[in-house]
């Protein structure tokens, strides 16, 4: 009888465990995420962008860029080194290793985002397929020091073999995110019933109303959980690949 491989759903619990073991760090980074999140509306006011909802995500992404580009990858590198101490990311040298890899890893992530975005524009399925097959490439560069081609090949090989379990865990993470977004919308509609749904809250309102600061802090914690859960999911995938064929992993 065929043995059913173990689920990767435990990565969600492991991600939460990382935050529980480092409560001070989690609180500090969530606070930083809240402050950087408020940088978006501040930039809107400085640029005199008006109440155009189309530009709000752009300014928000610019405000959170340091978090996504440097802080969260650094957290993943630290937790990976401390938890596993692999040969490619030794704990005693993890800071030097990270400094040498974070920019190439971000470059691979940016390239992948552009390819996925083009695939989504042309037809939704190619974008989803690209993200599914090659989504682990940036983490391979960051944590294991792979070159770009090696990272893309490793991600493709791993996902071809183990994609059902990975996708199952990703869908569960996305469901939690969607629930948070829905609850946030309900809370804001209750606290600010006069908002225009077509324009959304103004930059000045997002800066001065405490609800946006509180939701920014909670959203920062959620983003930290997603970051640590993705790390745990990658580590489970890597262990599965090594168990199946050690030669496929460096």
């Amino acid at each position: 009888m065929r043995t059913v491989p173990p689920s990767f759903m435990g990565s969600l619990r492991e991600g939460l465990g990382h935050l529980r073991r480092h409560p001070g760090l989690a609180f500090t980074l969530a606070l930083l995420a809240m402050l950087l999140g408020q940088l978006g509306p501040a930039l809107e006011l400085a640029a005199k962008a008006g109440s155009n909802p189309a530009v709000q995500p752009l300014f928000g992404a610019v405000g959170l860029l340091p978090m996504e580009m440097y802080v969260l990858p650094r957290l993943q590198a630290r937790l990976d080194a401390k938890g596993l101490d692999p040969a490619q990311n030794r704990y005693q040298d993890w800071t030097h290793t990270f400094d040498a890899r974070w920019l190439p890893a971000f470059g691979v992530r940016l390239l992948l985002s552009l390819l996925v975005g083009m695939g989504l524009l042309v037809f939704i399925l190619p974008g989803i397929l690209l993200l599914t097959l090659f989504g682990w490439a940036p983490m391979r560069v960051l944590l294991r020091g792979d070159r770009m081609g090696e990272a893309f090949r490793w991600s493709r090989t791993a996902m071809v073999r183990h994609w059902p379990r990975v996708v199952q865990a990703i869908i569960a993470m996305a469901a939690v995110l969607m629930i948070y977004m829905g609850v946030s919308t309900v809370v804001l509609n209750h606290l600010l019933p006069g908002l225009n749904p077509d324009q959304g809250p103004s930059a000045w309102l997002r800066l001065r109303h405490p609800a946006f600061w509180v939701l920014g802090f909670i959203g920062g914690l959620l983003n930290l959980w997603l970051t640590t859960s993705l790390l745990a999911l990658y580590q489970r995938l890597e262990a599965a690949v090594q168990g199946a064929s050690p030669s496929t992993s460096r």
Side-chain angles (χ1 to χ4, degrees), residues 55-129:
V55 302
Q56 290 180 9
L58 177 61
F59 283 103
V62 171
L64 289 172
L65 186 60
M67 197 80 181
E68 298 293 331
M69 183 178 182
Y70 186 83
V71 176
L72 295 181
R74 184 179 177 87
L75 175 65
Q76 288 180 325
R78 175 185 175 182
L79 294 177
D80 176 72
K82 187 174 183 179
L84 297 183
D85 195 28
Q88 306 94 331
N89 188 27
R90 290 297 187 191
Y91 184 60
Q92 61 182 3
D93 299 319
W94 79 267
T95 55
H96 301 291
T97 303
F98 172 79
D99 289 341
R101 293 177 181 171
W102 73 270
L103 191 56
F106 181 77
V108 173
R109 181 178 175 183
L110 184 60
L111 174 62
L112 180 63
S113 298
L114 291 174
L115 294 174
V116 170
M118 292 172 59
L120 291 173
L121 286 175
V122 174
F123 191 66
I124 294 177
L125 187 58
I128 296 176
L129 185 61

Side-chain angles (χ1 to χ4, degrees), residues 5-10 165 168 236:
S7 169
F8 286 165
M9 292 292 288
R165 291 185 287 170
Q168 180 189 41
R236 284 178 173 241

Side-chain angles (χ1 to χ4, degrees), residues 185-218:
T185 301
V186 171
V187 170
L188 289 177
N189 288 337
H190 176 73
L191 295 176
L192 304 168
L195 283 179
N196 187 335
D198 296 327
Q199 292 185 347
S202 66
W204 175 240
L205 179 61
R206 281 177 281 141
L207 277 175
R208 67 180 175 85
H209 201 288
F212 293 96
W213 292 80
V214 173
L215 289 175
F217 180 82
I218 297 173

Side-chain angles (χ1 to χ4, degrees), residues 159-173:
M159 289 301 293
V160 165
R161 295 178 177 177
H162 304 284
W163 71 267
R165 291 185 287 170
V166 173
V167 170
Q168 180 189 41
I170 293 292
I171 290 176
M173 295 178 198

